[in-house]
Amino acid sequence: MRLLPHIFSCCIFLILLSTCKNNTQVDIPDEPLEKIYRIPVVVHILHNGEETGTGPNLSKERIERQIEILNEDYRRKEGTPGYNEHPDGADARIEFVLAKTDPEGLPTNGITRTDISNVENPIENWSMNYLANYQYWNPADYLNIWLYPLDESTTDLVLGLATGPQTDLPGHELFGKGEPEYREGVFVNWIHFGESELSEVYNMGRTLTHEIGHYLGVLHPWSGGDCNENDFCSDTPAVDKPVTSCNAGTGCNGEPIMTNNFMNWTPDACMNIFTKEQVNRMHYVLENSPYRVSLLISPGLTSSN
Ligand SMILES: [Zn+2]
């Protein structure tokens, strides 16, 4: 199959691109503390004709549990693996809702299922454009998430991919480009979506938490690959190379690396924190970026009748 090398190149591309540096240069206005941002999502399951609940054609329960995990992580919910008591940790006050109304105004459960085994896809390179050619809802109204029927041999090797927002935040040039030039959203290897029985490392649904972090304007802590130019967040200790271990030691300035940050490549089990400055970037994007601001007033958020 020629698909896999393309996915790898996408991931490597993301590795090279992806970054948060010290000191955010954008003024973040004070907001009412109680404000909650709600984002409607649609999960497009692409499969090869498997029965629902079998292999890549994931069950509704697994999808719903993944959305629950996302909300535990973004709300720093007490009593869940997404909780932390770190002084720099923040409740992102962002919640994700499976779309209730589709682009035609009809009721939906926020999940589409498409058998692609006999569908020609004219897009040559595996990309967001390739995925969107199968299913794509208006990206101004929905966060599109795709699952693709990759082989089980990709377990722990291919995780996910995201396009970044249109923003003037520092480091914006490091994000994968989306609309209007390219189709945008988040791709996750179905194996790592929700709680997986295949992976022992990326098995708690944190791949989606991480990728949506990029979609909302947050970079890897090492993204610029430089101790001074990294993720543009002063409350994530500076690192200049990927953090992949729960015991990663010390960073650029001799401080302990924040190994439990969701934006690392550490195993799911040690992740539990977004920092205040990472959350400030997300809120700035949700208040200012095209294809993000409009999500908050999407018709997908409410039932159609
Ligand atoms: Zn990433």
Side-chain angles (χ1 to χ4, degrees):
M1 252 166 93
R2 63 183 175 82
L3 185 62
L4 195 55
H6 288 296
I7 294 173
F8 276 124
S9 65
C10 289
C11 291
I12 289 163
F13 182 64
L14 195 70
I15 292 164
L16 293 173
L17 287 179
S18 293
T19 336
C20 243
K21 167 196 162 181
N22 297 336
N23 61 56
T24 302
Q25 292 158 10
V26 174
D27 284 340
I28 316 278
D30 290 340
E31 310 159 24
L33 284 175
E34 70 279 9
K35 180 168 181 178
I36 305 293
Y37 297 84
R38 289 197 176 80
I39 297 179
V41 308
V42 54
V43 178
H44 300 301
I45 300 177
L46 309 177
H47 62 85
N48 285 321
E50 296 88 351
E51 293 285 316
T52 300
T54 308
N57 196 356
L58 299 182
S59 69
K60 182 167 172 269
E61 290 70 30
R62 181 149 154 193
I63 306 296
E64 288 172 344
R65 175 63 190 135
Q66 170 67 85
I67 302 302
E68 199 173 63
I69 292 166
L70 209 49
N71 289 325
E72 291 169 1
D73 291 350
Y74 277 81
R75 294 306 314 273
R76 193 173 61 162
K77 194 171 172 191
E78 228 172 312
T80 75
Y83 184 67
N84 70 77
E85 292 182 343
H86 194 287
D88 294 317
D91 169 2
R93 290 184 283 114
I94 300 169
E95 294 181 358
F96 301 86
V97 181
L98 281 165
K100 296 175 180 167
T101 300
D102 76 8
E104 271 74 53
L106 299 170
T108 177
N109 63 4
I111 303 170
T112 72
R113 296 177 187 275
T114 308
D115 179 351
I116 62 167
S117 54
N118 292 307
V119 181
E120 284 287 315
N121 192 329
I123 309 289
E124 281 195 16
N125 291 323
W126 200 97
S127 59
M128 294 301 188
N129 284 12
Y130 176 90
L131 295 166
N133 200 55
Y134 290 115
Q135 286 287 351
Y136 194 43
W137 289 11
N138 183 352
D141 288 338
Y142 304 91
L143 161 52
N144 285 269
I145 299 171
W146 294 276
L147 309 185
Y148 188 83
L150 293 173
D151 188 84
E152 289 179 13
S153 64
T154 62
T155 303
D156 299 338
L157 296 173
V158 178
L159 300 182
L161 192 62
T163 52
Q166 293 175 46
T167 179
D168 58 356
L169 280 170
H172 62 87
E173 67 283 355
L174 297 163
F175 290 118
K177 298 263 182 299
E179 294 284 354
E181 208 174 340
Y182 304 106
R183 306 298 77 80
E184 70 174 56
V186 170
F187 154 75
V188 173
N189 187 344
W190 67 274
I191 294 163
H192 301 296
F193 195 86
E195 286 158 333
S196 171
E197 61 283 359
L198 292 174
S199 172
E200 293 178 0
V201 186
Y202 305 107
N203 58 352
M204 292 171 63
R206 264 60 190 279
T207 299
L208 186 62
T209 303
H210 174 107
E211 296 302 337
I212 291 179
H214 290 315
Y215 173 85
L216 294 176
V218 188
L219 297 159
H220 294 143
W222 60 87
S223 220
D226 179 307
C227 283
N228 297 311
E229 296 276 331
N230 42 76
D231 67 353
F232 304 91
C233 294
S234 62
D235 53 5
T236 59
V239 285
D240 61 357
K241 54 178 84 65
V243 179
T244 57
S245 159
C246 298
N247 302 302
T250 52
C252 292
N253 305 317
E255 309 157 276
I257 291 173
M258 189 183 272
T259 52
N260 54 339
N261 197 284
F262 288 118
M263 300 314 290
N264 292 324
W265 289 340
T266 45
D268 280 5
C270 63
M271 293 181 160
N272 69 1
I273 184 171
F274 282 121
T275 66
K276 289 169 186 160
E277 290 196 24
Q278 287 177 321
V279 168
N280 286 346
R281 286 176 67 98
M282 296 181 203
H283 290 179
Y284 184 80
V285 162
L286 284 169
E287 297 283 357
N288 295 285
S289 292
Y291 299 97
R292 301 292 184 273
V293 174
S294 53
L295 296 171
L296 309 175
I297 51 164
S298 165
L301 285 167
T302 47
S303 300
S304 53
N305 49 13

